[in-house]
Amino acid sequence: MSETLRQTIVEIGRRLYARRLIAAYDGNISCRADDAAVWTTPTGVCKGFLTEDMLVGMDLTGRVTAGDRRPSSETGLHLGIYRENPAVRAVVHAHPPAATALACMGRALDRPILPEVLLTLGPVPLAPYAIPGSPAVAESVAPYCRTHNGALLANHGAVTWGGDLWEAYYRMEKLEHFAEVLLRIEAAGGRAREIDGNTAPRPVVS
Ligand SMILES: [Zn+2]
């Protein structure tokens, strides 16, 4: 993996933590280094304080090939997304508070309300609950990997993906921002009006 990719994973971990999209040891970040290799974040470490030597290399079956730490328990979610859609080159999983609140209420983020959300993120479905760290998490997201850019995980959090690390990360920021806007509207006793879905920009799917 190039130095730049390693630095980018560390920087995205720092931003996820600084922006409170994760708490404690939550969340994980991965990218495809080439067609056979994936680099991901280790378990048991706050992603706000990663260093480049903590990252774990593995093949697409999950066999560790580099690094001396254990990979995240959610590695199966990342590998499942790469298998479902080879165009995906990076995945970010977090527990952002507003988006996770909606996911706990059994709600998706799929209404056409903000045009720039449709443009950069697209509609975000709700994947059914699966025990974190189990193979069922990847299975719950599999139907969306080719048609969407992310998903809410019921009673758990959110996952986004993209053609590179920054695209996956910014989609997570956007997802949480959209969820926050919706919750503020509802807290004010309002109701979001939908824009015409036919004229809104189409989501960009990697
Ligand atoms: Zn999680």
Side-chain angles (χ1 to χ4, degrees), residues 27-28 74 93-95 132 153 156-157:
N28 23 78
E74 293 289 15
H93 165 55
H95 300 164
L153 308 174
H156 180 175

Side-chain angles (χ1 to χ4, degrees), residues 133-186:
S134 75
V137 180
E139 290 165 21
S140 76
V141 173
Y144 310 112
C145 295
R146 286 179 175 270
T147 53
H148 295 74
N149 294 314
L152 297 185
L153 308 174
N155 294 73
H156 180 175
V159 60
T160 52
W161 49 85
D164 60 44
L165 280 161
W166 285 114
E167 186 172 57
Y169 169 71
Y170 282 126
R171 283 174 173 162
M172 182 62 73
E173 267 197 11
K174 205 71 190 167
L175 181 155
E176 175 64 357
H177 187 255
F178 184 27
E180 278 182 10
V181 169
L182 281 182
L183 290 180
R184 285 198 190 200
I185 290 168
E186 293 174 9

Side-chain angles (χ1 to χ4, degrees), residues 70-99:
R70 285 197 303 126
S72 158
S73 61
E74 293 289 15
T75 298
L77 168 63
H78 295 240
L79 296 178
I81 293 167
Y82 293 131
R83 280 195 293 267
E84 290 291 330
N85 186 350
V88 172
R89 307 301 291 183
V91 175
V92 172
H93 165 55
H95 300 164

Side-chain angles (χ1 to χ4, degrees), residues 5-155:
L5 281 178
R6 215 169 14 212
Q7 289 170 344
T8 303
I9 289 179
V10 169
E11 174 62 19
I12 286 175
R14 198 186 65 75
R15 293 193 191 192
L16 286 170
Y17 191 60
R19 293 182 64 91
R20 302 189 179 197
L21 301 174
I22 51 176
Y25 296 165
D26 291 354
N28 23 78
I29 308 154
S30 72
C31 71
R32 302 244 346 225
D34 57 47
D35 285 344
V38 170
W39 285 85
T40 189
T41 45
T43 191
V45 173
C46 176
K47 308 313 177 297
F49 299 93
L50 286 173
T51 54
E52 292 171 34
D53 60 305
M54 293 179 181
L55 303 181
V56 181
M58 60 176 57
D59 63 23
L60 281 174
T61 70
R63 189 175 64 89
V64 173
T65 55
D68 49 17
R69 290 178 180 262
R70 285 197 303 126
S72 158
S73 61
E74 293 289 15
T75 298
L77 168 63
H78 295 240
L79 296 178
I81 293 167
Y82 293 131
R83 280 195 293 267
E84 290 291 330
N85 186 350
V88 172
R89 307 301 291 183
V91 175
V92 172
H93 165 55
H95 300 164
T100 302
L102 292 175
C104 290
M105 289 189 266
R107 292 171 54 181
L109 269 172
D110 56 359
R111 293 172 60 208
I113 293 168
L114 296 172
E116 88 281 2
V117 170
L118 291 173
L119 180 66
T120 58
L121 177 64
V124 180
L126 174 74
Y129 178 70
I131 297 172
S134 75
V137 180
E139 290 165 21
S140 76
V141 173
Y144 310 112
C145 295
R146 286 179 175 270
T147 53
H148 295 74
N149 294 314
L152 297 185
L153 308 174
N155 294 73

